């Protein structure tokens, strides 16, 4: 039976031309088959690709965070380097690194915080720059080995007994007032910097004719009897010792009394006693300095002698408990040992 209208569509809703095209396409790919292992490859490749995408996202986020924190910090440092800041970005970075107080001058000495960029060079009376004068002083002081200690609270561990050694104790001759001044010195023998926070323990031990009950120790204060000791303002509560450098503790022995003098008795009667104790001679006298008396006693005469031998051993034990060093002050029997806090050499 003939139909004048269009053909009825297929159940899938496609007309005859579309059905024909779909059939041709199906026939074209019927012989196409995947290679062996393709499915396994897809199962491995897909997770790897996803992981790479995640890593890329995380890397971009980390880079953004770094830039967000580094730029404000760099701006803050560059703004705090002083009036001599180089306006270029490179100059700012270099001066920011040099302004941390760790730079060195031409003589190898450590420079102070801010470096030379934060100071103006003063000129002396002869027109020479202050920088040249400082260079000459650094050359004269450069004879000692090791880097000198620095009075700072920088982060350095407290010195241990193992790190300290080569301790020495010296004392000078007594001055016109009888005071004796001395110095204890302790060296950092390790290869790392450490901090000394106190002078340790100072003791005084009587020897010979010295009286331990009349000997004391006291911390040096401004205006006390030990006027020859450095002013307490030169002491530091946290001295960082670089390897090979030393710290000092100074003391003064101030006597309160002199050592006593010795005496000898002169018994002039060296003769033999009377063979008959009952016999007396009221008119006779014995030879020497013995006076003739009826009871037979002699007068003992006391003659002046020398000064008694007395001394005081002054000792210092480091804050860490070791080392201990001593020095002896002669002709000392009663008085006080005044001692300072931690001092840099030459203070």
């Amino acid at each position: 039976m003939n139909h004048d209208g269009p053909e009825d569509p297929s159940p899938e809703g496609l007309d005859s031309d579309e059905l024909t095209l779909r059939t041709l396409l199906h026939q074209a790919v019927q012989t196409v088959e995947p290679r062996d292992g393709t499915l396994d490859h897809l199962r491995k490749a897909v997770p790897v690709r996803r992981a790479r995408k995640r890593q890329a996202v995380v890397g971009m986020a980390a880079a953004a965070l770094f830039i967000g924190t580094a730029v404000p910090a760099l701006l803050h440092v560059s703004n705090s380097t002083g009036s001599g800041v180089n306006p270029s970005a490179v100059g700012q970075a270099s001066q920011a690194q040099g302004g941390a107080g760790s730079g060195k001058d031409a003589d190898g000495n450590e420079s102070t915080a801010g470096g030379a960029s934060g100071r103006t060079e003063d000129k002396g009376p002869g027109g020479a720059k202050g920088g040249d004068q400082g260079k000459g002083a650094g050359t004269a002081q450069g004879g000692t080995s090791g880097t000198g200690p620095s009075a700072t609270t920088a982060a350095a561990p407290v010195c241990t007994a193992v790190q300290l050694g080569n301790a020495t104790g010296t004392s000078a001759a007594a001055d016109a007032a009888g005071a004796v001044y001395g110095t204890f010195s302790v060296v950092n023998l390790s290869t790392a910097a450490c901090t000394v926070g106190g002078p340790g323990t100072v003791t005084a031990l009587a020897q010979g004719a010295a009286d331990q009950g009349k000997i004391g120790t006291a911390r040096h204060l401004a205006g006390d009897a030990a006027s020859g000791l450095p002013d307490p303002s030169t002491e530091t509560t946290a001295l960082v010792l670089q390897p090979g450098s030393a710290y000092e503790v100074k003391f003064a022995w101030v006597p309160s009394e002199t050592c006593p003098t010795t005496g000898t008795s002169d018994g002039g009667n060296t003769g033999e006693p009377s063979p008959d104790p009952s016999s007396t001679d009221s008119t006779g006298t014995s030879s020497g300095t013995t006076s003739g008396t009826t009871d037979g006693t002699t007068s003992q005469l006391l003659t002046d002698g020398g000064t008694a031998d007395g001394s005081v051993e002054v000792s210092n034990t480091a804050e860490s408990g070791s080392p201990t060093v001593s020095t002896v002050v002669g002709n000392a029997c009663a008085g006080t040992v005044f001692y300072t806090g931690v001092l840099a050499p030459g203070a």
Side-chain angles (χ1 to χ4, degrees):
M1 182 174 68
N2 295 329
H3 299 280
D4 295 335
E7 297 181 357
D8 295 333
S10 65
E12 292 83 357
L14 302 175
D15 57 19
S16 60
D17 293 337
E18 292 174 342
L19 288 175
T20 302
L21 179 59
R22 184 175 68 171
T23 302
L24 292 174
L25 291 175
H26 285 175
Q27 292 176 355
V29 298
Q30 281 181 353
T31 59
V32 177
E33 295 182 357
R35 293 182 300 176
D36 295 339
T38 301
L39 183 58
D40 294 337
H41 174 72
L42 293 175
R43 289 175 178 174
K44 296 178 181 180
V46 171
V48 170
R49 184 177 300 174
R50 292 175 179 174
R52 289 176 180 173
K53 290 182 179 180
R54 287 195 299 268
Q55 291 175 356
V57 172
V58 172
M60 293 176 62
L65 179 62
F66 174 76
I67 295 173
T69 56
V71 171
L74 181 60
L75 292 176
H76 174 73
V77 173
S78 63
N79 289 333
S80 62
T81 53
S83 59
V85 179
N86 191 331
S88 65
V90 177
Q92 290 177 354
S94 62
Q95 292 189 11
Q97 294 176 356
S102 60
K104 294 186 178 181
D105 57 19
D107 296 323
N109 298 322
E110 290 191 359
S111 61
T112 56
S117 61
R119 300 194 303 269
T120 58
E121 294 181 345
D122 297 332
K123 293 187 178 180
K129 291 185 178 180
D132 294 337
Q133 296 176 356
K135 182 177 181 180
T139 304
Q141 297 175 358
T144 58
S145 60
T147 305
S150 57
T152 178
T153 56
V158 177
C159 294
T160 64
V162 178
Q163 292 178 287
L164 301 178
N166 285 355
T168 58
T170 59
S171 58
D175 60 12
V180 176
Y181 292 88
T183 303
F184 298 112
S185 177
V186 184
V187 180
N188 177 10
L189 300 179
S190 68
T191 57
C194 63
T195 302
V196 178
T201 304
V202 176
T203 58
L205 179 63
Q207 295 181 337
D211 187 352
Q212 186 67 48
K214 295 182 179 181
I215 298 174
T217 59
R219 186 68 177 269
H220 171 53
L221 299 175
D224 60 18
S227 58
L229 290 178
D231 190 89
S233 62
T234 61
E235 302 173 3
T236 178
T237 56
L239 186 66
V240 177
L241 289 184
Q242 300 297 331
S245 62
Y247 75 90
E248 293 180 348
V249 175
K250 296 189 176 183
F251 72 91
W253 163 257
V254 179
S256 58
E257 298 178 13
T258 60
C259 289
T261 58
T262 59
T264 59
S265 59
D266 185 10
N269 184 11
T270 58
E272 296 291 336
S274 174
D276 186 3
S278 62
S279 63
T280 60
D281 186 0
S282 59
T283 59
T285 59
S286 61
S287 63
T289 59
T290 305
S291 61
T293 60
T294 57
D295 58 3
T297 61
T298 60
S299 299
Q300 303 295 325
L301 301 179
L302 186 64
T303 60
D304 291 336
T307 303
D309 185 12
S311 61
V312 174
E313 182 183 38
V314 184
S315 302
N316 174 239
T317 302
E319 187 181 30
S320 59
S322 178
T324 297
V325 61
S326 303
T327 184
V328 176
V329 178
N331 193 23
C333 292
T336 303
V337 175
F338 296 91
Y339 61 95
T340 68
V342 176
L343 298 171

